[in-house]
Amino acid sequence: TTTAFHAVTLSEGGYFVFGLHVVDETGCTSLQEARLTAFVSRRAAFTGTLAPDTICPGSTVSVVGMAEQRPLIGPPAYDPASPEILADNLQFTYTFPIEVNGAAPDDTISNADQLGDICVSMEHSYMGDFVLSVTCPNGTTVSLHQQGGGNTFLGEPVDGDDTNPVPGICYTYCFNTYPDFGTWQACSIFGTTPNLIALGSDFTLAPGSYTSVDPLSELVGCPVNGTWILNCTDLWASDNGFLCSWSLGLSGFLPDSLNLFGPVLGTASPDSSFWSGMNVLNDALHAGMASYSPPGIGIEQLTYSVMDSYGCSYDTSLTIVAEPFAAPVIEANGSQGELCATNTFPATYTWYFEGSPATTTGNCWTPPGPGLVTVVGTNGFGCTDTSVYLVTAVDQLNESERQLTAYPDGAKGLWVEANGLTGSMVQVRISDMAGRLLWERSVQPSSGRLKERSSGSIAPGTYILQLVDDGRMTALHVAVP
């Protein structure tokens, strides 16, 4: 008894029973004197958690966290954190074990119906590639699929990814004693009873319950407890797939009623269901919901966390890319009256003259006369930005006459542009109608021009814009809708 202490790490959730036996120096073993039970929380599933992949700077989007508590006693399953590859490795057998230990010690399969559903969640771009089988704890193996079916897909694979395999979308296919459909081969594009879904010019086997190649009754006599193994052997060159999970039904053997003692996820409380990350604002009334505004251009990671009634915390992370603005720069193109918009990033352009849309969508355009030209640049993700240009003469776009304009943008800032400046330093001020100064800046013009954006947000209303250049003041009223 001096070494009766034992530490064990339980890497998976579930219901566990520990018993203490004592063996004396003559080898006599005591009966099991006491049992200790342990309920271990199973990892939460985050299926349904939503956040956009890409957004525009300055925008605000909603993110939604969804989590489900897996039952304490679920069907025995092989459930990796990410899909596991079934690479095109000829003659190599991939094995995926499930350890079953919740049944009585002497429980065996006496009727094939007790197997319940043997389900495989997978994708593959060539059904005819491989052999799929299940091995029970005493070594008995039954074949679920024996090649056949040719280039029928399973799930929605990424076809043609032989060099750098990429997981597709797994479909769940089950085998039981009362299947809805025949074998995979019989239901393939070359079968007698096709059960298919069209994917463009290809076809994939529809999810459902199917007939195994070998009868499942061959597993009668198998012990319930022990290692059950799913085997997959590739026998044909090219094409690959991924296994997302597989599970056993084993009806009536496991203490499912213990699920009543399992933990409960706190998805209804903002204290135990929330998002974290820069510029994330959680909804105080709706747990798992938040708004997010990117702090700038680049990649940000948001994390959704949830806690259960056992005090266990789980989280999942999502990446959001804030794409750059399509900020156009307008420049005069020679002396022919043409204006051209350029951009650091690929963009399309929409031109306006005095507020009315022009008929062209190219990056260069010749305005019909003096006036305010506006161009809106749009990148491939729909992010837009605006630039304006004051034209005082059609044949002289680089005008020397001083002009001043201002306009709000979608992020509630106010852009100020001026041409024909002569001073080495100019002052720009924005005041409200009561004369209170809201924003001021000293700017060094470039080639007699400036383009500046006020800091912060400008509330709707009317404002006074003043520009002091070389001792001269120009003022105008600006309306912010």
Side-chain angles (χ1 to χ4, degrees), residues 15-17 73 76 98-105 224-228 250 253-255:
Y15 168 71
F16 298 86
V17 180
I73 305 296
I98 292 176
E99 294 293 334
V100 179
N101 55 22
V224 176
N225 288 333
T227 304
W228 293 72
L250 297 178
F253 292 109
L254 304 178

Side-chain angles (χ1 to χ4, degrees), residues 214-342:
D214 293 336
L216 296 179
S217 58
E218 293 183 8
L219 295 174
V220 170
C222 285
V224 176
N225 288 333
T227 304
W228 293 72
I229 302 173
L230 180 73
N231 313 285
C232 183
T233 306
D234 192 303
L235 299 174
W236 196 263
S238 189
D239 293 282
N240 59 64
F242 284 85
L243 177 79
C244 289
S245 65
W246 82 280
S247 62
L248 294 163
L250 297 178
S251 176
F253 292 109
L254 304 178
D256 296 349
S257 62
L258 291 174
N259 286 325
L260 297 175
F261 299 94
V264 177
L265 281 181
T267 52
S269 170
D271 293 332
S272 54
S273 174
F274 55 87
W275 288 87
S276 57
M278 187 176 295
N279 287 17
V280 170
L281 180 62
N282 284 282
D283 190 326
L285 300 178
H286 302 90
M289 298 187 66
S291 60
Y292 169 67
S293 301
I297 296 170
I299 300 174
E300 293 291 334
Q301 182 172 283
L302 307 184
T303 300
Y304 173 58
S305 303
V306 65
M307 182 181 291
D308 66 23
S309 55
Y310 282 11
C312 304
S313 296
Y314 306 101
D315 60 63
T316 185
S317 295
L318 300 176
T319 298
I320 298 180
V321 179
E323 292 293 334
F325 279 124
V329 176
I330 303 176
E331 295 179 342
N333 185 21
S335 60
Q336 302 303 313
E338 186 179 53
L339 296 177
C340 290
T342 58

Side-chain angles (χ1 to χ4, degrees), residues 1-146:
T1 57
T2 57
T3 58
F5 175 80
H6 181 65
V8 60
T9 298
L10 302 174
S11 59
E12 296 295 332
Y15 168 71
F16 298 86
V17 180
F18 298 91
L20 176 65
H21 291 266
V22 180
V23 182
D24 66 19
E25 60 186 8
T26 63
C28 297
T29 304
S30 70
L31 296 176
Q32 191 173 63
E33 295 290 339
R35 287 177 178 265
L36 178 68
T37 60
F39 297 105
V40 182
S41 174
R42 298 189 70 198
R43 290 185 175 88
F46 290 98
T47 304
T49 298
L50 299 174
D53 295 328
T54 58
I55 59 177
C56 301
S59 62
T60 299
V61 296
S62 296
V63 292
V64 180
M66 300 288 289
E68 294 181 355
Q69 179 67 60
R70 291 170 173 157
L72 189 70
I73 305 296
Y78 182 89
D79 190 14
S82 58
E84 297 200 11
I85 189 171
L86 304 171
D88 187 43
N89 196 347
L90 295 184
Q91 306 299 322
F92 179 80
T93 299
Y94 291 90
T95 58
F96 306 96
I98 292 176
E99 294 293 334
V100 179
N101 55 22
D106 297 328
D107 278 347
T108 59
I109 302 297
S110 59
N111 186 307
D113 292 351
Q114 295 174 318
L115 292 166
D117 288 325
I118 301 174
C119 293
V120 180
S121 178
M122 66 178 298
E123 57 94 337
H124 203 288
S125 54
Y126 206 92
M127 183 194 293
D129 252 14
F130 60 91
V131 175
L132 193 69
S133 64
V134 168
T135 302
C136 80
N138 68 7
T140 301
T141 298
V142 298
S143 177
L144 304 176
H145 171 65
Q146 184 71 42

